[in-house]
Amino acid sequence: MQTIGLIGGMSWESTALYYKLINERVRDRMGKLHSAPLLMYSYDFQAIKEMQYAGRWDEAAASLADVARRLENAGARAIVLCTNTMHKLAPEIAANVTIPFIHIGDATAERIRSKGYRRVGLLGTKFTMEEDFYIDRLRAHDLDVLVPPADARADVNRIIYDELCLGNVTALSRRRYQDVMAALVAAGAECIILGCTEITMLVGAGDTSVETFDTTAIHAETAADFAIG
């Protein structure tokens, strides 16, 4: 198997899911006692959040690119960035390594298109829902992307940073997400992208009337399949 380099800690709650899901996929495909060869760098997420909210994206890009190079030098044969939001910096990271960068947006879009859907509802951080870097990546796969209105985006973002990244899962927040997803479906969404790696902790297939696509699971499975070859 090939070694995967994971850039994690954003947050560690979802990075722990990556570790679990990648190894489960390898076990299920290969059997016996097989598990994935992995290298991981885990960030202090408080520092990353401060860069995000202060708009210090150049500083964040330089840091992530440096980590990716270090993982490659340590033997990684592909890079997996364990977060949706920081894929804003995917071009800078990919440009600084010679190994594949497995993009979460591509993996998700390909899975959606394989199911025949075209109009998708997107949940994520405010950066993912409001900026072009992620939506344009989905549109490149001929997907039509719907996002919630401003008040709902604010609630979705707040719950991610103030609750899910701290491991807090509440019934009140689940109901809010269910309402937001129902509104996206009413607006024409054929499926829902759980476009933040923590959202899978809160809602899933049983929380909306359409199919949901868990970006954490899809990305982890894609990484595992790359490792296996």
Side-chain angles (χ1 to χ4, degrees), residues 89-105:
L89 306 176
E92 291 90 336
I93 299 168
N96 279 275
V97 293
T98 63
I99 57 178
F101 178 90
I102 302 175
H103 198 292
I104 196 169

Side-chain angles (χ1 to χ4, degrees), residues 62-224:
S63 178
L64 288 165
D66 177 64
V67 166
R69 285 192 300 269
R70 288 157 60 189
L71 288 170
E72 180 178 12
N73 291 338
R77 297 279 63 87
I79 297 296
V80 171
L81 180 60
C82 304
T83 160
N84 285 274
T85 299
M86 298 309 285
H87 274 72
K88 176 182 173 75
L89 306 176
E92 291 90 336
I93 299 168
N96 279 275
V97 293
T98 63
I99 57 178
F101 178 90
I102 302 175
H103 198 292
I104 196 169
D106 291 340
T108 300
E110 289 164 8
R111 184 73 62 88
I112 291 169
R113 290 310 306 270
S114 74
K115 295 292 190 75
Y117 299 121
R118 187 173 178 277
R119 202 168 200 210
V120 303
L122 174 64
L123 301 181
T125 66
K126 67 176 185 177
F127 307 104
T128 300
M129 293 186 289
E130 296 176 1
E131 298 186 22
D132 293 334
F133 70 92
Y134 199 88
I135 292 173
D136 283 352
R137 196 82 182 199
L138 298 175
R139 286 174 177 159
H141 292 266
D142 199 30
L143 293 176
D144 182 16
V145 183
L146 304 177
V147 297
D151 61 334
R153 293 198 304 269
D155 284 345
V156 169
N157 183 77
R158 175 187 55 77
I159 290 166
I160 290 168
Y161 280 99
D162 294 352
E163 299 178 18
L164 300 181
C165 287
L166 297 172
N168 297 330
V169 177
T170 70
L172 181 63
S173 292
R174 179 174 289 112
R175 287 194 296 272
R176 179 57 173 144
Y177 267 58
Q178 289 169 336
D179 290 343
V180 172
M181 290 190 289
L184 287 170
V185 173
E190 300 167 334
C191 60
I192 301 292
I193 297 175
L194 307 182
C196 175
T197 51
E198 283 79 26
I199 292 178
T200 185
M201 298 162 57
L202 183 66
V203 293
D207 293 293
T208 182
S209 60
V210 298
E211 188 170 1
T212 58
F213 288 84
D214 174 3
T215 55
T216 307
I218 293 168
H219 203 202
E221 290 167 6
T222 304

